[in-house]
Amino acid sequence: MGYPVLFEKTLPVVPRRLLFTARRDRADLPDLPPGAVYVFKVDGRQRLYGDRHLDLADPTVVEAVAVSLVLRRPALITAQFTIPSTSAADDFTVAATFRCQVLAPEAVAESGLSDLAALLTSHLAQDRDLKTLGLSYRIDDINEVRRVVDAQITAYCTLVPPNVRGMSIELNSVVVDPSRDLREQSRRIRDKKWQHEEGRLDMAWQDIEVQRYRDLIAAGPAHVDALGIARNEINVGQLSDRMHDDDRERRQQLGATLQMMVDRGYFDRMPIDPVRLLDEVAGRSMGAAPSRMLAEGTETAGAVGAGPRTRPAAERDTESTEPDPIPSEEDIA
């Protein structure tokens, strides 16, 4: 179907019968769609039948030699055409949409206009400036072309509006579509940018995770174990057994170190009990509160007498050399 004349047809002559009223056969007339009206041609003139039920015995219907279906509802009609760009390989596709409505169905039926889009396209093609407007732009200058084409068509339709007898026509919108090649190229570039952005975000997140785990490791084994427990990746019972084993091994190492110090005479000049020292150092390494063992040892030494303990002469004579330097508490720990 076209627009605004949807359909038109020549009607046959209605046969006359004596004693019977002339009546046109219903099959002679096309069905009337919603929004359309019948326009009959009688005695060389177009006559609007109007919004009423069809009477096949009506003189207008019986005497008509032709009938037209005219759509009276408003419609949006698009005129599409192309204008060249600076490249001979690419063109800009322009689509100008007009809001149209039939005001006088008789005049429209008389013109027989059934392709309003072609008429509007021809009207815009008469604008010489519009034809050469795209020659100054490349195909990728689509946004600037949209602006200038819209302004040109709006100005032209304001100064030289489309004129169709019996109709109201107004410019509704102007769209400039990119070429198919440009659209595909832009889509590929867009997808690449998205992929690069996703890759950049992934790398940034990995850097954050690396720094986070680095901080966890720097905080010490206890912090890492606590994180494993919080994530249900480490069993508390297994961790407890491992800590007890580590403590037992540490005490054995400290005991061997203190035994070596006793054998070398490190404690001959210090009022410190090696057994209490072992408990002190082992307790601090496990995070226990420090005792006052050293202070107590000092006070005890002061109560017994000033200065270091006097060793027997026989014991001093048996030694040929001085004992090794006395290590500090930090060295022992």
Side-chain angles (χ1 to χ4, degrees), residues 33 55 89 93 104 149 158 161 171 181 192 225 240 253 262 279 307:
D55 183 3
T93 301
V149 168
T158 301
L171 179 64
D181 294 338
K192 278 291 185 181
D225 291 338
S240 177
Q253 293 177 354
V262 170
D279 294 337

Side-chain angles (χ1 to χ4, degrees), residues 89-283:
D90 300 301
D91 293 329
F92 297 107
T93 301
V94 181
T97 302
F98 296 84
R99 186 179 185 276
C100 309
Q101 185 173 12
V102 173
L103 302 179
E106 302 92 330
V108 173
E110 182 65 25
S111 67
L113 180 60
S114 60
D115 191 356
L116 182 59
L119 187 145
L120 294 174
T121 302
S122 176
H123 175 73
L124 294 177
Q126 298 175 17
D127 185 1
R128 296 182 179 179
D129 294 336
L130 181 60
K131 292 180 181 179
T132 60
L133 193 60
L135 295 177
S136 302
Y137 300 95
R138 299 178 303 174
I139 192 64
D140 52 351
D141 297 329
I142 184 68
N143 292 327
E144 181 63 17
V145 172
R146 285 170 175 164
R147 186 185 65 82
V148 296
V149 168
D150 182 273
Q152 179 64 28
I153 293 179
T154 301
Y156 180 73
C157 290
T158 301
L159 298 176
V160 187
N163 185 16
V164 177
R165 185 167 173 263
M167 293 194 66
S168 170
I169 302 176
E170 297 178 356
L171 179 64
N172 185 71
S173 64
V174 177
V175 176
V176 180
D177 293 325
S179 65
R180 189 174 185 178
D181 294 338
L182 177 61
R183 186 183 293 109
E184 293 177 355
Q185 174 69 7
S186 300
R187 185 180 294 111
R188 287 193 295 267
I189 294 175
R190 179 203 63 188
D191 294 343
K192 278 291 185 181
K193 289 182 178 180
W194 285 357
Q195 292 176 2
H196 292 165
E197 182 66 16
E198 290 178 358
R200 188 185 65 81
L201 292 176
D202 290 341
M203 293 180 61
W205 177 253
Q206 291 176 1
D207 293 341
I208 294 175
E209 286 293 294
V210 169
Q211 183 61 39
R212 178 168 171 265
Y213 284 113
R214 182 184 301 165
D215 295 340
L216 290 175
I217 296 174
H223 198 83
V224 176
D225 291 338
L227 179 62
I229 294 175
R231 293 183 175 181
N232 295 323
E233 297 177 358
I234 297 179
N235 184 274
V236 178
Q238 295 176 353
L239 178 61
S240 177
D241 294 340
R242 190 186 70 190
M243 293 177 64
H244 285 297
D245 293 341
D246 293 344
D247 180 50
R248 188 181 304 109
E249 182 180 356
R250 187 180 299 106
R251 284 179 176 273
Q252 291 176 356
Q253 293 177 354
L254 289 174
T257 301
L258 290 177
Q259 183 62 45
M260 180 269 296
M261 296 172 65
V262 170
D263 295 341
R264 292 186 179 184
Y266 286 151
F267 297 103
D268 292 345
R269 296 183 179 183
M270 298 177 61
I272 298 177
D273 185 355
V275 177
R276 296 184 63 186
L277 178 60
L278 175 62
D279 294 337
E280 170 73 12
V281 176

